[in-house]
Amino acid sequence: MEASQPPIIEMIDIAKDYGLIRALEGVSLAVRAGEVTCVLGDNGAGKSTLIKIMSGLHHADSGQMKVNGTEARFDSPRDALRAGIATVYQDLAVVDLMETWRNFFLGSELRKPIPLLRPLDIEQMQRITADELGKLGIHLGSVNQPLGTLSGGERQCVAIARAVYFGAKVLILDEPTAALGVKQSGIVLTYVAKARESGVAVVFITHNPHHAYLIGDHFVVLSLGRMSLNARRDEITIDQLINEMAGGSELTALARQLARNTAQATA
């Protein structure tokens, strides 16, 4: 698959330090509409730092970020949201005891146009919640059920549907399948594919190359803050992606060293 359109987000030679620790160095990537860009790496690879820069939580120390071709520097996540960039973190920022529809509109409630009183338009919010979840293939018995009664995969999908409804053009998903089993991970991946089909640009953060390859169009692997891979789907196989995640050349060197040590021990 070839890149056929200009990127919504373009990161150019991004670097970030935390004191004496260099979290990112020389990272460049492009995020396009209707594609899933998978950012992979182990703990400490720099994935979280990268998405915090994209989402307005942190500033890069050097490099450039462009949004729709124009240089951008967000001072807060609200700035990123105004630019159409929404981030769904692992903790989801939801209230499990509240109804599903209340979580869907949390902080953005609809009100009836009645002077002074302006009561909540509960019926409208319930209808919209059901309709938007239905677009992703989620059909709940009732949107009045507490969010905490849904499965982990369904809760992730409510957060995804909410972000898309409120205008996200770029959806950043922070390890959405990390705490899920095989079946629930499959549910989330299915809905990520539906978001892509609707034209949303998805940034899928993960340490699982199997999940990434199932859904990804573009793969970036970070290792100790540097890019060790930047490839499109037709340029890489799942075995190559797994090898890159596992350490690639470092594992090869280790295998050779272990073989030498074994040969010396048996000589």
Side-chain angles (χ1 to χ4, degrees):
M1 181 189 301
E2 296 182 357
S4 58
Q5 54 186 326
I8 296 180
I9 296 178
E10 188 174 9
M11 313 288 280
I12 305 168
D13 204 23
I14 294 293
K16 177 67 178 178
D17 294 336
Y18 296 108
L20 298 177
I21 298 173
R22 172 138 287 199
L24 292 175
E25 182 172 359
V27 174
S28 299
L29 63 88
V31 177
R32 291 179 167 84
E35 290 188 0
V36 177
T37 298
C38 296
V39 180
L40 302 97
D42 284 332
N43 293 336
K47 306 188 303 296
S48 294
T49 300
L50 182 65
I51 65 171
K52 285 174 181 176
I53 293 171
M54 280 189 187
S55 61
L57 278 170
H58 290 171
H59 289 151
D61 292 329
S62 63
Q64 186 181 45
M65 180 170 73
K66 293 182 178 180
V67 177
N68 293 317
T70 301
E71 184 170 2
R73 183 178 174 88
F74 301 136
D75 292 322
S76 70
R78 189 171 295 277
D79 288 346
L81 278 171
R82 290 193 189 103
I85 301 168
T87 304
V88 177
Y89 292 100
Q90 289 182 54
D91 60 12
L92 298 180
V94 295
V95 183
D96 285 344
L97 295 178
M98 278 188 177
E99 298 94 330
T100 299
W101 68 265
R102 283 186 179 272
N103 273 282
F104 194 94
F105 281 93
L106 192 62
S108 302
E109 291 81 5
L110 301 180
R111 295 185 177 274
K112 294 181 179 180
I114 299 175
L116 299 178
L117 296 177
R118 303 201 67 233
L120 292 176
D121 195 340
I122 294 174
E123 295 81 4
Q124 176 82 332
M125 289 187 283
Q126 290 172 332
R127 182 186 61 76
I128 291 173
T129 300
D131 288 348
E132 293 303 313
L133 293 181
K135 290 177 183 178
L136 289 182
I138 305 172
H139 302 285
L140 303 179
S142 171
V143 293
N144 285 318
Q145 66 187 94
L147 193 74
T149 65
L150 306 185
S151 69
E154 287 172 332
R155 288 198 297 273
Q156 285 279 352
C157 295
V158 169
I160 291 171
R162 181 185 191 279
V164 172
Y165 173 74
F166 283 104
K169 303 301 181 186
V170 178
L171 183 60
I172 302 172
L173 303 177
D174 180 24
E175 299 274 7
T177 61
L180 303 180
V182 174
K183 183 176 180 180
Q184 295 302 319
S185 294
I187 290 173
V188 173
L189 295 175
T190 297
Y191 300 140
V192 171
K194 289 181 179 291
R196 171 178 59 192
E197 290 164 8
S198 72
V200 174
V202 180
V203 180
F204 188 87
I205 310 297
T206 184
H207 63 270
N208 189 319
H210 296 283
H211 291 172
Y213 204 77
L214 280 171
I215 197 68
D217 301 295
H218 175 204
F219 305 94
V220 171
V221 176
L222 297 179
S223 177
L224 299 177
R226 294 174 175 265
M227 295 177 66
S228 61
L229 175 77
N230 185 6
R232 299 191 64 78
R233 188 180 185 86
D234 59 1
E235 298 171 335
I236 191 170
T237 66
I238 178 61
D239 290 337
Q240 290 171 323
L241 186 60
I242 292 170
N243 184 59
E244 196 66 46
M245 272 291 294
S249 58
E250 291 87 351
L251 278 182
T252 300
L254 177 60
R256 289 173 180 167
Q257 181 62 47
L258 290 174
R260 284 197 296 268
N261 292 346
T262 301
Q264 290 171 1
T266 57

